Structure formats: C-alpha cells, structure tokens
C-alpha cells in the first residue's frame, strides 16, 4: 500500500495538471516514505524490522524512480552537443558495484532549454545532434528521446518490496 501511495503521489507531482509546488511535493513524498517506514519498524521488531525498513525505503525510492521514468516528456528538441564531460564513479570495497561512468552533455537547444543532459552511457559526441525529450514544466529531467522506460526501476521496486514483505511476514509465523 505504501508503494502505491508513494508512486501515486510522485506520478501526480511529476505529471498532474494541478501538481503542487516543488517544496510541497518533496515534503509530501518524504512524509509518506518516512511514515511508511516508521509504521513498518513499529510493527516488525528486531533485526527484521530494521532491515525490512531499509528494504522498504529502497523499494519506495525505486517506485519514485519508476514514476519519474514513466512520466511523459511532451516536448522534443534537436540539440547540438557543445561539450561532453565524463566522470568515473569509484567502487567502494571488494564485492561492491563496479566503477561506472556518468556522461554530462552541455547542449545548445532552441529556446535555451534543456542546457544539460546527464546519461549513464555515451549518447553523442561533441558536435553531434541529439534529440532530447523534456517536460516544458521542468518537473522531470530531460532524457534522450525514447530512452525512458520505467521497467527496470519497477522491477527493482518489486524485488525490494517483496523482500521487505517477506521479512515482515516471517515475524508473523515466528
């Protein structure tokens, strides 16, 4: 239920015609998430409550990411890539996630927006043109046109929330 509430709130904030201001969207989403984790932790005791609450929080964040990726970016602009910056992110410890690279493209678009596009893969080189989908209300980040599938985030949300539920269910039978 918490994931449905958080997803619905995020979807409304990202795409609703009467969405709240950004500060209220953040505050409301934060209260929903913290409230769900607090209730979970109060109802499930011990280590299961702690780790289940962490899994719940991660699942709720993944639900917000899925809502972000599912949000329509109704405008498309053909933009020139002025410069590409790459940043290698470190891996922490043995067995941690592998090093990854973040690409930040400085853009020249009609009307001046978007000016920057961030991606987890090389989408264009300096001097190339790229088609960028964006929300004219600027509620979600711009993305390469056709590159916003919510399925990966939704799958992670499902796995994390199922693990959290399994931990909570295990305390009922214990």
């Amino acid at each position: 239920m918490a994931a449905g509430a958080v997803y619905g709130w995020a979807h409304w904030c990202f795409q609703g015609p009467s969405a709240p201001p950004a500060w209220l969207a953040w505050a409301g989403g934060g209260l929903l998430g913290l409230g769900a984790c607090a209730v979970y932790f109060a109802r499930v005791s011990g280590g299961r409550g702690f780790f289940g609450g962490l899994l719940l929080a991660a699942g709720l964040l993944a639900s917000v990411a899925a809502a972000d990726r599912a949000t329509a970016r109704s405008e498309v602009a053909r933009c020139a890539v002025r410069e590409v910056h790459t940043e290698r992110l470190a891996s922490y410890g043995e067995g941690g996630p592998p090093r990854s690279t973040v690409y930040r493209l400085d853009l020249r678009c009609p009307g001046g927006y978007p000016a920057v596009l961030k991606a987890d893969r090389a989408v264009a080189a300096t001097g190339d043109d790229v088609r960028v989908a964006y929300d004219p209300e600027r509620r979600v980040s711009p993305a390469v046109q056709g590159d916003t599938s919510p399925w990966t985030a939704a799958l992670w949300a499902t796995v994390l929330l199922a693990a959290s539920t399994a931990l909570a269910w295990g305390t009922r039978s214990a």
Side-chain angles (χ1 to χ4, degrees):
M1 289 180 11
V6 168
Y7 181 89
W9 176 262
H11 183 61
W12 176 59
C13 292
F14 291 148
Q15 197 165 335
S18 62
W23 69 268
L24 184 58
W26 279 97
L31 286 174
L32 279 172
L34 287 173
C37 291
V39 168
Y40 184 98
F41 192 68
R43 304 266 317 181
V44 181
S45 61
R48 287 178 183 260
F50 177 75
F51 290 108
L54 288 177
L55 289 169
L56 175 63
L60 294 177
L61 289 173
S63 298
V64 171
D68 172 69
R69 302 288 290 175
T71 298
R73 286 149 172 88
S74 59
E75 300 291 327
V76 176
R78 184 179 198 96
C79 303
V81 178
R82 292 188 301 170
E83 196 171 357
V84 178
H85 303 276
T86 59
E87 180 182 357
R88 293 277 295 165
L89 302 178
S91 175
Y92 298 100
E94 188 174 324
R99 291 178 59 106
S100 61
T101 303
V102 175
Y103 298 87
R104 187 180 64 108
L105 287 71
D106 291 336
L107 304 173
R108 182 175 37 250
C109 299
Y113 183 80
V116 175
L117 176 68
K118 292 182 181 177
D120 58 356
R121 61 184 174 83
V123 295
T126 300
D128 289 349
D129 285 345
V130 63
R131 294 183 56 81
V132 180
Y134 65 96
D135 174 24
E137 301 287 326
R138 301 181 184 192
R139 292 182 281 189
V140 292
S141 299
V144 175
Q145 184 182 21
D147 210 17
T148 56
S149 171
W151 297 112
T152 302
L155 177 63
W156 274 108
T158 302
V159 168
L160 292 165
L161 293 168
S164 176
T165 302
L167 283 173
W169 194 261
T171 60
R172 299 186 100 200
S173 63

